[in-house]
Amino acid sequence: MIDTHIILLETRTELSSSLSHMLAQSGFSVHSCQNVPELFRQAEKGCDIILLDIGQPLLDGFSLLPRLSEIARAGVVVLAEDAGLEVRLRALQSGADACLMQHGDQRELVAVILALIRRDRRRAAPVVDRSEAADPVQVASVGAWHLRDRGWTLVSPSGSTVSLSARERMVLQELLAEPGHPVDRLRLNELLYPGSEAQQRSRSVDVMISRLRRKASSYGLELPIRTVYGGGYLFVTE
């Protein structure tokens, strides 16, 4: 099975453990979050699917859906104890891709996750909107590789696309701004984590690049980002 990274927000330990185990057994990579700040931190790093339990005490799960869509380009599946028509409609209208019973048949959850993955990975590359040409975050093509959709999608020479998280977008914009030239690791890390936090997360950019390479590989693409010993990373143009 193609590697799929799932983020799960579920504070009830027993249910979280059971669900995480089932998803892992189905071949998925799962990160279970215990609170909303952790969920957003992980979502910014990038993922394929977000599973959100809207029935947790003191949590209005519906209010999280629009905020998640701002920082992560991932399929969102809502889990509800009572997934009746009104709950399903509210979830979908708030930004979820699907809403399922929390204790429903696990095969349905797996099928929905796989359907969302297929949807994203079969997404055809549309004609570039010329109105975006003046957009300051629209990066010019480098060879045949370029960013579109205001920088949220990386397009390969064959036209295949990779959806990007907020931090992946920032790093690729920086690399594509200086194609063929190394960009210092510290500079990239400062971009991701401004100020003193950059020092605390000195290897975060390496982890993010590694995950980005794996993500591109899952789409059948070899990302032309090369590591420069002692000098950071560069985007190869030849």
Side-chain angles (χ1 to χ4, degrees):
M1 180 179 294
I2 294 176
D3 181 50
T4 299
H5 181 48
I6 297 175
I7 296 176
L8 165 66
L9 175 62
E10 174 53 78
T11 61
R12 289 169 283 194
T13 306
E14 183 178 348
L15 179 60
S16 175
S17 177
S18 173
L19 190 54
S20 296
H21 179 72
M22 183 278 293
L23 292 170
Q25 289 293 102
S26 298
F28 301 115
S29 171
V30 184
H31 182 97
S32 183
C33 299
Q34 302 301 311
N35 54 62
V36 174
E38 183 184 2
L39 168 68
F40 277 86
R41 285 195 298 270
Q42 293 300 321
E44 284 185 333
K45 294 177 182 178
C47 62
D48 300 295
I49 299 291
I50 296 173
L51 297 183
L52 179 64
D53 173 15
I54 62 171
Q56 300 180 59
L58 305 179
L59 172 65
D60 179 8
F62 293 113
S63 68
L64 297 179
L65 294 171
R67 295 165 57 195
L68 283 172
S69 65
E70 293 177 358
I71 65 169
R73 296 175 65 85
V76 179
V77 180
V78 164
L79 303 176
E81 290 187 6
D82 178 15
L85 177 60
E86 293 303 320
V87 172
R88 297 199 308 273
L89 287 175
R90 186 179 177 190
L92 294 172
Q93 291 166 353
S94 298
D97 294 292
C99 179
L100 303 175
M101 288 287 292
Q102 189 178 81
H103 299 285
D105 194 315
Q106 295 177 340
R107 293 174 299 175
E108 182 180 15
L109 175 58
V110 171
V112 167
I113 290 172
L114 292 176
L116 291 174
I117 296 301
R118 287 196 301 270
R119 179 199 67 181
D120 290 342
R121 293 175 181 176
R122 290 176 179 174
R123 188 176 296 163
V127 176
V128 175
D129 184 357
R130 298 302 177 186
S131 66
E132 293 187 348
D135 187 337
V137 299
Q138 182 73 18
V139 180
S141 298
V142 178
W145 288 88
H146 63 280
L147 295 175
R148 67 145 207 267
D149 300 334
R150 298 182 181 273
W152 289 104
T153 303
L154 177 66
V155 184
S156 75
S158 65
S160 299
T161 61
V162 179
S163 296
L164 304 173
S165 69
R167 289 197 169 107
E168 290 168 348
R169 174 176 178 258
M170 286 191 291
V171 167
L172 280 174
Q173 285 175 340
E174 195 75 10
L175 293 176
L176 288 170
E178 300 185 47
H181 297 280
V183 179
D184 187 74
R185 178 183 284 103
L186 294 178
R187 175 175 160 189
L188 293 174
N189 217 50
E190 179 69 27
L191 179 69
L192 294 177
Y193 303 100
S196 60
E197 191 179 4
Q199 299 301 319
Q200 301 171 12
R201 299 172 178 264
S202 60
R203 307 299 296 180
S204 291
V205 65
D206 299 327
V207 174
M208 198 219 69
I209 292 290
S210 178
R211 288 175 175 169
L212 184 56
R213 284 169 173 159
R214 290 201 304 270
K215 180 192 285 189
S217 179
S218 74
Y219 286 75
L221 301 172
E222 181 179 355
L223 198 60
I225 295 178
R226 301 292 180 263
T227 303
V228 178
Y229 182 74
Y233 295 93
L234 64 82
F235 199 100
V236 178
T237 58
E238 296 181 357

